Amino acid sequence: MINKLITKIQKTNAPIVVGLDPMLNYIPKQIQKRAFDEYGETLEGAAEAIWQYNKEIVDAVYDLIPAVKPQIAMYEQFGIEGLKAFKKTIDYCKQKDLVVIGDIKRGDIGSTSEAYAIGHLGKVTIGSKTCRGFDEDFVTVNPYLGTDGIKPFIDVCKSEKKGLFILVKTSNQSSGEFQDRFIDGKPLYEYVGEKVAEWGADCMGDSYSYIGAVVGATYPEMGKVLRKVMPKSFILVPGYGAQGGKASDLLPYFNEDGLGAIINSSRGIIAAYKQEAYAQFGDASFADASRQAVLDMIKDINEAIGK
Amino acid sequence: MINKLITKIQKTNAPIVVGLDPMLNYIPKQIQKRAFDEYGETLEGAAEAIWQYNKEIVDAVYDLIPAVKPQIAMYEQFGIEGLKAFKKTIDYCKQKDLVVIGDIKRGDIGSTSEAYAIGHLGKVTIGSKTCRGFDEDFVTVNPYLGTDGIKPFIDVCKSEKKGLFILVKTSNQSSGEFQDRFIDGKPLYEYVGEKVAEWGADCMGDSYSYIGAVVGATYPEMGKVLRKVMPKSFILVPGYGAQGGKASDLLPYFNEDGLGAIINSSRGIIAAYKQEAYAQFGDASFADASRQAVLDMIKDINEAIGK
């Protein structure tokens, strides 16, 4: 799957991923109204609104981008109904040949991590059959529990040819509270980065490992160090745009081959029509605004990394 | 909710929680057969088997215990259908007046943590209405992203009178890889413990904070230190029984008032009938075996803590 991701990045010339993190207040009123008219102001109604919103955005941008990253929390807040919209979104994006990165940030002790890995990347045995749960292509994983929390995810990736992005340095303001603490002269995130490189070493695709890392766009100095610590790991970079990360900060996340990083934008794309710059599209053409925002983001990033 | 948990612990004289972490291979063949006959060897069939299994166990033990802890991964591995069984289990346990601790180990940046908090503990606004997603009483949370990943959970707990158990030191073998790293002469888990105490200080129930911690039974020396670092935090202790934690190691997790800790057992209770000690119950009476295992666990722990 890492090879497919890279091929698609090269084909689209777009090292970006669109975060499908819908909030009800992003969704144009006409879509909410149609959904609520049919299902009421219920969890089901909210899930229907999210699904219709996602579908229009995906239809408008799928040919421009290699991948999407649905953030499961935004669906999980609507319980079972929300998770049905999550699953529908995954399946639809895969039909459109997009690589799907499930932003699930799971992580637990061994046997429990195995259950998450099976549910999101693999297949579960039921009697004499096997079935698939959510079936993303990549997922994000939290490393706080150490190797035996990560290993089951890696094992499933090996057999399924899928991949991970492990949290190393997150984009949020208080990420430093624990991640930046110094241990024998090095911050914790660097130790985690070293582990990611170690875990990824025998999980190689053609040129990159399928065990990648998450490093926030908001910390470019750390991105520079971590790029060197994990030369063969793809880096998923959240925090561009709405969270404050600038394109000019992104160069250190890439390798000299122009690869090695994929930049996420969520709100900046899916709620583009709410920004002044795209206000001319209006509510009805919100998906066209998203398309324009994708084109602008690709240009912005390619200029910054000199492509 | 922390007051309710404590009252129920005192009433049952059982500082324990039963982990509802079903694996298909724990479930007696007759239950699997009935479910598969009705729904096939499908995700739906597996979910039905899990639900029937949980229900029998809860019916057999609910009067002996204060709380249950369903591990969401074990349901999530069966996708949407599995999560329906998770939700059914929560609702059923609440009907039985059990405190429900959702073992979800979520944690993300602020706005995303807020969505998880709303989905699992709070209510979500949909148009002019509010609805509840999973609606547990407590959840477990991962601290790797720092304060702004935890704060939204605390805010929802405040308004809903619910609670958290934050991962401090987990029970697994490689938990030390990051959690035990020394920073200025103190291990990381101790810093996290200090933060838990700080976060919990203005979240007090009558005698304990509703912001608690997870500390594995497999590390009693660390439990002793952490008990002092977080005197007002309830400690959820996994790792007793199947994972190797012994009752004699549990004393340091409790305060002098005999409170302050709640010990989890999952496999040791729900799959008791598979152990030699309870083999006489047989497959058909698996729930009676679970009841006996609960009685034995309560005795074992109370003897060890001198109650």
Side-chain angles (χ1 to χ4, degrees), chain A residues 56-88:
Chain A
E56 276 198 58
I57 292 170
V58 171
D59 285 342
V61 305
Y62 78 93
D63 59 316
L64 302 175
I65 58 172
V68 291
K69 181 176 75 64
Q71 165 54 261
I72 197 170
M74 297 305 168
Y75 304 82
E76 206 165 312
Q77 68 181 325
F78 300 103
I80 303 288
E81 296 301 328
L83 288 162
K84 285 186 196 167
F86 178 72
K87 176 61 177 150
K88 265 190 191 166

